[in-house]
Amino acid sequence: MNILVQKNYDDLSKKCAELIKAQIAAKSDSVLGLATGSTPLGTYKELIRMNHAGELDFSRAIAFNLDEYFPIKKSSDQSYHYYMRENLFKHVNFAQTFIPDGEAPDAAKECAAYDEKIAAQGGIDLQILGIGNNGHIGFNEPDDKFTSATNHTLLDESTIKANARFFASESEVPRHSLTMGIGTIFRAKKIILLASGAGKADAIFKATRGPITPQMPASVLQLHPDVTIIADEDAAKLIQ
Ligand code: PGA
């Protein structure tokens, strides 16, 4: 694992955007895996700036998002469809974008179809991840086994609490999601995991230095051949 410690959130965001720019420069038709949550927002702002400045062209690039609540309407402003549209997709020029469908009538079919779509595009070249306080990646929550394929999953109580800040109340947070599986994520050729703030320090310590266990889903990344963790000093404070 390559660990890049940045002074603050702004530097973390710029570093991640630079690495995405380098990926597109090396392969204009890259397949990017993208994440939601608070952490990637600065990266997306910087990608938009680069795109508008003519430094970065997504016109041959394809994006697959990690996950979506289930069920949720695409039009809901808590959906990840809404988040991605508002924070990135409507501002830049991706050739195609994909997000699991929180309105799908059959969740299992939607999950299987999502993995097929990723495979049909040749797999993910660069996957961006956040990390939950509990070590989840995507919505793969601590469990007694690692998930493989994209799956319909129950959210952890701690994730419901953490994400309640985006909803009017905790009771409105959907209890389920559709998420790329650990196997889906692991097949990405390169992975960048972002972590900002002291609240992530324990998860970053356990994910990078602790045992590889499905109780700390991000720990599986220790086995991947090309992972870069970009953490600010607060998130990296237990590993420095
Ligand atoms: P956050 O979420 O970026 O909002 O902290 C990360 C995650 O839950 O994966």
Side-chain angles (χ1 to χ4, degrees):
M1 279 178 154
N2 183 19
I3 302 181
L4 305 177
V5 180
Q6 306 293 305
K7 199 150 194 51
N8 54 39
Y9 178 69
D10 202 35
D11 289 357
L12 169 156
S13 301
K14 287 194 174 125
K15 175 58 76 180
C16 183
E18 267 170 34
L19 294 178
I20 293 172
K21 182 180 170 187
Q23 172 68 37
I24 303 279
K27 184 173 184 278
S28 60
D29 60 349
S30 287
V31 180
L32 301 180
L34 298 179
T36 50
S38 303
T39 315
L41 285 172
T43 301
Y44 295 156
K45 278 208 176 83
E46 181 62 7
L47 293 179
I48 293 166
R49 188 201 63 71
M50 288 170 163
N51 180 255
H52 291 185
E55 297 166 20
L56 174 57
D57 175 22
F58 290 103
S59 63
R60 300 192 63 219
I62 292 174
F64 281 92
N65 262 77
L66 272 171
D67 48 18
E68 176 59 287
Y69 292 113
F70 190 83
I72 198 162
K73 292 212 176 307
K74 294 187 186 105
S75 57
S76 156
D77 54 9
Q78 281 88 25
S79 75
Y80 289 162
H81 279 78
Y82 182 90
Y83 171 108
M84 290 308 299
R85 192 164 60 243
E86 291 305 310
N87 292 307
L88 185 63
F89 294 156
K90 78 176 189 189
H91 304 287
V92 300
N93 59 338
F94 274 100
Q96 282 188 83
T97 61
F98 298 90
I99 305 176
D101 183 359
E103 298 180 42
D106 182 330
K109 262 196 195 145
E110 172 62 15
C111 291
Y114 202 66
D115 278 333
E116 279 165 23
K117 283 181 207 161
I118 294 172
Q121 298 294 343
I124 293 170
D125 292 301
L126 173 62
Q127 175 69 54
I128 308 300
L129 298 175
I131 183 168
N133 299 330
N134 64 359
H136 75 196
I137 48 177
F139 274 131
N140 295 283
E141 303 287 20
D143 201 351
D144 32 7
K145 58 180 175 18
F146 287 116
T147 59
S148 173
T150 295
N151 60 95
H152 174 204
T153 186
L154 192 63
L155 301 189
D156 212 54
E157 268 312 306
S158 66
T159 299
I160 291 168
K161 281 194 170 30
N163 290 9
R165 69 191 195 276
F166 300 114
F167 291 81
S169 72
E170 198 177 306
S171 63
E172 288 188 18
V173 182
R175 268 34 189 177
H176 293 81
S177 75
L178 307 179
T179 181
M180 282 188 199
I182 295 285
T184 315
I185 293 168
F186 205 82
R187 280 193 291 280
K189 295 179 189 83
K190 291 184 192 165
I191 295 176
I192 296 176
L193 182 143
L194 301 176
S196 172
K200 298 290 170 70
D202 186 55
I204 286 296
F205 175 78
K206 289 181 178 146
T208 60
R209 304 274 201 267
I212 297 166
T213 161
Q215 296 298 340
M216 174 49 55
S219 65
V220 75
L221 299 177
Q222 293 176 38
L223 297 174
H224 190 280
D226 194 339
V227 174
T228 299
I229 295 188
I230 311 179
D232 61 17
E233 286 182 351
D234 288 341
K237 69 180 181 182
L238 301 179
I239 56 167
Q240 281 189 301

